[in-house]
Amino acid sequence: SQTIHQWPATLVQPVGSPLSLECTVEGTSNPNLYWYRQAAGRGLQLLFYSVGIGQISSEVPQNLSASRPQDRQFILSSKKLLLSDSGFYLCAWSVGRGPGGGVFGSGTRLTVV
Amino acid sequence: GENVEQHPSTLSVQEGDSAVIKCTYSDSASNYFPWYKQELGKRPQLIIDIRSNVGEKKDQRIAVTLNKTAKHFSLHITETQPEDSAVYFCAVSGGGADGLTFGKGTHLIIQP
């Protein structure tokens, strides 16, 4: 069966520090991968999605970037974190022409201090 | 881009009563409408979904109805139980790879 791994579960980082969050999927090939962010008490906002290695689409301009170095690996990064980057970051996946990114990882709660 | 409005933001019902949450969307090309339940500190979990060729779908105490003409869809929970307390999100997709657009969520409170 397919599983999605996301780490770390929680992270506290100072303003101006770099960020790297990793997501991997097992049990499937060529998944579509997604990064969402959920601010405290708010809905989910799509940040990036990828339909293949090296292919990244960005939904909103921001302080973050994404990369897909391998088929089942999706990385969210920042060179310098801002306070406004705090939130709950969720990786998600779907396969083929399936609806976009509706199966979520367990999430990373990022607090920028 | 797609715009999804969800109402109400908070809903309090007596245990055993029904709860209804409504969402409207703007893009008439959208054709996939899932609902998610999120408990505090946890990931959203898909509870039911509907596609544009179906008007209603039921799964035990949960149902979703879709009106494509009016561009709105609703979640219905009957015989509510304490474990139904959570935040519920609607979402919309064009059915392709480009992700889901979410509503802002409804905090459902089941009063004993």
Side-chain angles (χ1 to χ4, degrees):
Chain A
S1 64
Q2 301 91 354
T3 55
I4 182 167
H5 300 281
Q6 198 177 337
W7 66 90
T10 59
L11 193 58
V12 179
Q13 292 283 100
V15 168
S17 63
L19 173 73
S20 181
L21 301 181
E22 188 164 342
C23 170
T24 59
V25 179
E26 294 179 356
T28 186
S29 295
N30 197 29
N32 300 326
L33 296 173
Y34 305 81
W35 280 110
Y36 292 87
R37 176 172 60 200
Q38 185 175 32
R42 303 285 298 276
L44 288 86
Q45 180 185 35
L46 178 65
L47 301 176
F48 301 95
Y49 68 94
S50 171
V51 299
I53 296 173
Q55 300 178 62
I56 308 295
S57 296
S58 174
E59 288 297 298
V60 293
Q62 57 203 303
N63 184 42
L64 302 167
S65 62
S67 61
R68 186 165 175 179
Q70 300 180 40
D71 181 47
R72 288 172 283 182
Q73 183 185 33
F74 203 23
I75 297 171
L76 184 70
S77 304
S78 174
K79 291 182 180 177
K80 288 186 179 181
L81 284 168
L82 306 172
L83 287 174
S84 57
D85 292 323
S86 294
F88 191 35
Y89 288 82
L90 291 149
C91 181
W93 73 279
S94 62
V95 174
R97 295 179 62 82
V103 180
F104 291 91
S106 54
T108 295
R109 191 162 303 281
L110 172 66
T111 304
V112 182
V113 296
Chain B
E2 178 70 88
N3 183 46
V4 179
E5 299 283 341
Q6 183 173 344
H7 299 280
S9 57
T10 304
L11 178 61
S12 181
V13 302
Q14 289 294 123
E15 183 179 349
D17 289 350
S18 295
V20 181
I21 303 169
K22 298 180 180 179
C23 284
T24 61
Y25 61 98
S26 60
D27 188 350
S28 57
S30 295
N31 60 10
Y32 177 65
F33 308 92
W35 284 91
Y36 289 84
K37 177 182 180 181
Q38 187 178 29
E39 296 175 342
L40 191 63
K42 298 191 175 179
R43 77 187 88 181
Q45 298 272 17
L46 178 70
I47 56 172
I48 195 166
D49 58 11
I50 193 168
R51 296 178 189 269
S52 61
N53 58 341
V54 177
E56 181 176 359
K57 183 177 177 180
K58 283 181 117 173
D59 182 3
Q60 298 181 4
R61 296 187 297 109
I62 294 173
V64 55
T65 58
L66 171 65
N67 184 328
K68 277 222 82 181
T69 303
K71 288 188 282 189
H72 68 70
F73 59 111
S74 299
L75 176 71
H76 304 254
I77 306 174
T78 59
E79 300 171 20
T80 52
Q81 301 169 2
E83 54 265 35
D84 294 329
S85 293
V87 179
Y88 290 80
F89 292 96
C90 65
V92 174
S93 169
D98 54 349
L100 295 165
T101 301
F102 284 82
K104 286 186 164 55
T106 296
H107 186 191
L108 177 62
I109 302 165
I110 307 302
Q111 304 278 7

